Amino acid sequence: MKTPLSKTFVETFLGNAPGWYKLTIIACLVLNPVLMLTVGPFVAGWALIAEFIFTLAMALKCYPLPAGGLLALEAVIMGMTTPETVYHEALKNFEVILLLIFMVAGIYFMKDFLQFTFTRILVRVNSKKIIALLFCLAGAFLSAFLDALTVTAVIMAVAYGFYNIYHRFVSGKGSTDSHDLVDDGAVKDTSREELLQFRGFLRNLMMHGAVGTALGGVCTLVGEPQNLLVGSEMGWHFVPFFLHAAPVTLPVLVVGLLTCLLVEQFHIFGYGYQLPGNIRSFLLETAVQMEEKQGTKGKLKLVLQACTGIWLILALAFHLAAVGLIGLSVIILLTAFTGITEEHQLGHAFEEALPFTALLVVFFSVVAVIHSQELFTPIIEFVLSLKGQNQLVAYFIANGLLSSISDNVFVATVYISETKLHFINVLNAIPNIGMTGQALMAKMTDPHLARADVLATLPQGAAALVKETMEHFDKLAVAINTGTNIPSVATPNGQAAFLFLLTSALAPVIRLSYGRMVLLALPYTITMSLTGLMAVYVFL
């Protein structure tokens, strides 16, 4: 008997997503035109934002691109924004798109060196507290210059590789035998307790490393995609971005590292698992064998990747080119000197970033709707009506809460662009500036022009007002950036690296569920968010 066409359509629509999720998206697609015709584009626009945040929050059920893309496409068809506006938003953020395409792919070719680093830490250091701190520190340092997703992927690859070898060993399986790592049925009874300890140990390290990527990622222009979004809107290169954000990011970094030590010391929130001595000896032996197998060619690759890493850090620090182009230079250098010359070898490097790049352009479509319908104007006006430090705190909290339930790149994109529009209007209202507020803002956020030189061309009274306005805008930009980066460690929805870990093949193997991840992140969420809030209030 043939399957009815309608049933086939329902099964095909959004693939393996749950039935209730599919019905919800269909209901949203039906509801939006009705709202548009009955209550107008403002209410329909807010409904679209809520629906889009829902698709981000449900990322574990269905990757947000198909469902969120349908909602964005419908909004354009209904006239809530125009294709030209969407294109303008994407073009304005082209540097971020380049970052995602080329920098993430470039770091893919450095995986051997990164894996070597984390393997050394895991098998050569005896103290669990020191291992945890080094994983957190290494994740932070690498994510400040590289891509957080790739750093997380490397840490996961190290953990998965060692777990696979040990699980096969205690299950009596060879390296070529078919084997299910999730199933402990074949594990010897004498090894079960050690295996549970090993799982807990790896869970702890994965979370320390993932949180480390957030700690380092918030500090620099390239650490997270939203950093580059904020930096490009403000006209900040690598060093200016670091200096503006440092009053908040450095205290948070110190407190994050102290939290790492404290949870391991007092065995709280699911931390404190130790690596059994038998397993440590086994892993060290395995690591030595793996290093010996590398030979001269493998060692040369590590040296070349380390040298390219130094080039990457220097090129970013001195802003020798756009971030994405520096990433492209990394691809060229590493593929040329390590002999990667076939197209299919290169293709794997781009698999990780391109789905998120496509999703980012869908973000820009929703941002275009927000701009076109002026949806955030009442909220921005309310927050900006607050005075002094309270305004900065309100920005930090609002961005933090939204980033915890949706996506921090989306939240940062909306807030920085809407806030910039507000400050353009503020500049427009200043008398005797001799140009439009838009033109003056373009000059004040041009990375190739010194602000002091622009202010020198204005009358003294106007220059003082413009300087004061821009200094306040700088502080709000830091509050937006740190607000979207720091409290978002609360859930996997807010941090791409967390979501990546949760949806990986490693998560079921080490029994890392959504709830367990939230619990493990909780001490970091509390200490880092409160420190960030205090730093925004006191130091900005």
Side-chain angles (χ1 to χ4, degrees):
M1 185 179 172
K2 282 188 174 181
T3 307
L5 188 62
S6 58
K7 188 178 179 183
T8 306
F9 173 77
V10 170
E11 288 174 355
T12 308
F13 179 68
L14 297 181
N16 295 323
W20 63 265
Y21 180 88
K22 297 180 182 185
L23 289 172
T24 304
I25 297 301
I26 291 170
C28 292
L29 292 169
V30 172
L31 178 66
N32 290 341
V34 175
L35 289 175
M36 183 79 171
L37 293 170
T38 54
V39 290
F42 188 83
V43 175
W46 272 105
L48 173 71
I49 292 172
E51 292 157 7
F52 191 70
I53 288 176
F54 167 77
T55 66
L56 296 172
M58 292 292 110
L60 292 175
K61 303 295 182 187
C62 174
Y63 190 68
L65 178 62
L70 281 175
L71 294 168
L73 187 61
E74 183 185 54
V76 174
I77 293 168
M78 290 192 304
M80 296 176 78
T81 190
T82 64
E84 290 75 21
T85 309
V86 176
Y87 175 75
H88 174 71
E89 286 293 331
L91 188 62
K92 190 170 71 172
N93 294 292
F94 184 62
E95 197 171 352
V96 182
I97 294 171
L98 278 181
L99 163 79
L100 286 170
I101 295 172
F102 293 129
M103 185 62 85
V104 176
I107 305 312
Y108 176 88
F109 295 109
M110 292 179 65
K111 277 187 174 180
D112 290 341
F113 173 71
L114 299 175
Q115 204 158 329
F116 171 78
T117 303
F118 282 105
T119 300
R120 277 295 176 105
I121 294 171
L122 182 61
V123 300
R124 303 278 179 176
V125 180
N126 291 322
S127 166
K128 168 69 185 299
K129 281 186 287 186
I130 301 300
I131 293 175
L133 186 63
L134 288 174
F135 260 67
C136 201
L137 261 175
F141 177 77
L142 292 169
S143 293
F145 297 97
L146 314 179
D147 163 62
L149 281 183
T150 305
V151 174
T152 307
V154 169
I155 300 171
M156 283 160 40
V158 172
Y160 190 88
F162 280 129
Y163 187 88
N164 178 35
I165 292 166
Y166 182 74
H167 198 274
R168 284 175 179 276
F169 174 71
V170 294
S171 302
K173 300 283 184 180
S175 59
T176 56
D177 296 338
S178 176
H179 185 53
D180 182 5
L181 292 179
V182 180
D183 183 13
D184 292 343
V187 175
K188 301 163 191 168
D189 291 338
T190 53
S191 302
R192 285 183 181 273
E193 187 58 40
E194 285 187 345
L195 185 64
L196 291 175
Q197 279 286 327
F198 189 33
R199 272 201 197 115
F201 177 81
L202 290 178
R203 271 199 307 273
N204 291 174
L205 290 191
M206 291 308 98
M207 286 305 296
H208 290 312
V211 170
T213 65
L215 286 170
V218 67
C219 294
T220 66
L221 186 68
V222 296
E224 297 281 354
Q226 66 267 28
N227 298 14
L228 193 55
L229 279 165
V230 172
S232 59
E233 291 284 4
M234 301 304 298
W236 295 338
H237 285 325
F238 192 87
V239 174
F241 182 97
F242 175 79
L243 294 175
H244 275 102
V248 180
T249 57
L250 294 186
V252 169
L253 175 62
V254 171
V255 168
L257 295 174
L258 286 174
T259 304
C260 172
L261 288 175
L262 288 171
V263 293
E264 289 295 344
Q265 175 67 37
F266 295 106
H267 297 198
I268 50 176
F269 294 98
Y271 289 98
Y273 284 93
Q274 299 296 319
L275 180 62
N278 291 343
I279 299 181
R280 180 183 302 282
S281 304
F282 179 80
L283 295 185
L284 180 58
E285 205 175 297
T286 305
V288 170
Q289 289 171 3
M290 287 164 63
E291 283 184 28
E292 286 173 355
K293 280 182 186 175
Q294 282 183 335
T296 310
K297 190 176 180 181
K299 288 174 182 174
L300 178 62
K301 273 189 178 181
L302 292 179
V303 172
L304 289 169
Q305 289 176 16
C307 292
T308 307
I310 294 168
W311 149 251
L312 173 65
I313 291 168
L314 292 174
L316 289 171
F318 292 103
H319 196 73
L320 301 181
V323 174
L325 296 181
I326 294 171
L328 180 58
S329 75
V330 169
I331 295 173
I332 293 166
L333 290 170
L334 287 176
T335 53
F337 287 105
T338 59
I340 299 169
T341 55
E342 294 178 23
E343 188 180 359
H344 72 272
Q345 291 177 295
L346 287 161
H348 292 304
F350 294 91
E351 288 174 1
E352 195 177 278
L354 286 182
F356 187 72
T357 307
L359 181 61
L360 190 68
V361 177
V362 174
F363 287 172
F364 296 148
S365 306
V366 178
V367 172
V369 172
I370 291 169
H371 285 173
S372 299
Q373 304 302 328
E374 299 182 342
L375 300 180
F376 269 49
T377 302
I379 295 173
I380 299 290
E381 285 178 352
F382 168 72
V383 175
L384 289 170
S385 69
L386 300 171
K387 301 299 178 189
Q389 301 305 97
N390 291 337
Q391 190 183 94
L392 296 174
V393 167
Y395 255 70
F396 182 88
I397 293 171
N399 279 274
L401 289 174
L402 276 173
S403 295
S404 296
I405 58 169
S406 63
D407 183 274
N408 48 17
V409 179
F410 172 64
V411 175
T413 305
V414 170
Y415 263 88
I416 192 64
S417 53
E418 287 296 312
T419 304
K420 191 171 185 178
L421 280 176
H422 169 83
F423 276 92
I424 286 171
N425 293 331
V426 171
L427 291 178
N428 227 7
I430 296 174
N432 304 321
I433 59 172
M435 63 189 91
T436 64
Q438 176 87 42
L440 182 55
M441 178 62 80
K443 285 188 174 184
M444 295 298 285
T445 55
D446 185 337
H448 305 294
L449 295 176
R451 281 190 185 176
D453 294 341
V454 177
L455 291 172
T457 64
L458 302 175
Q460 192 173 353
L465 286 172
V466 170
K467 184 182 179 188
E468 185 183 332
T469 301
M470 291 306 298
E471 284 174 353
H472 189 56
F473 184 28
D474 288 344
K475 291 177 181 179
L476 286 175
V478 173
I480 291 169
N481 186 67
T482 52
T484 52
N485 272 296
I486 295 166
S488 59
V489 300
T491 69
N493 305 98
Q495 281 285 339
F498 283 29
L499 191 62
F500 186 50
L501 173 58
L502 188 63
T503 54
S504 69
L506 179 66
V509 165
I510 60 173
R511 311 298 192 262
L512 185 62
S513 63
Y514 189 101
R516 188 170 254 165
M517 184 176 270
V518 170
L519 176 66
L520 288 166
L522 186 59
Y524 284 109
T525 305
I526 295 168
T527 57
M528 288 162 56
S529 298
L530 289 177
T531 305
L533 191 65
M534 184 201 70
V536 164
Y537 188 83
V538 175
F539 299 133
L540 285 187

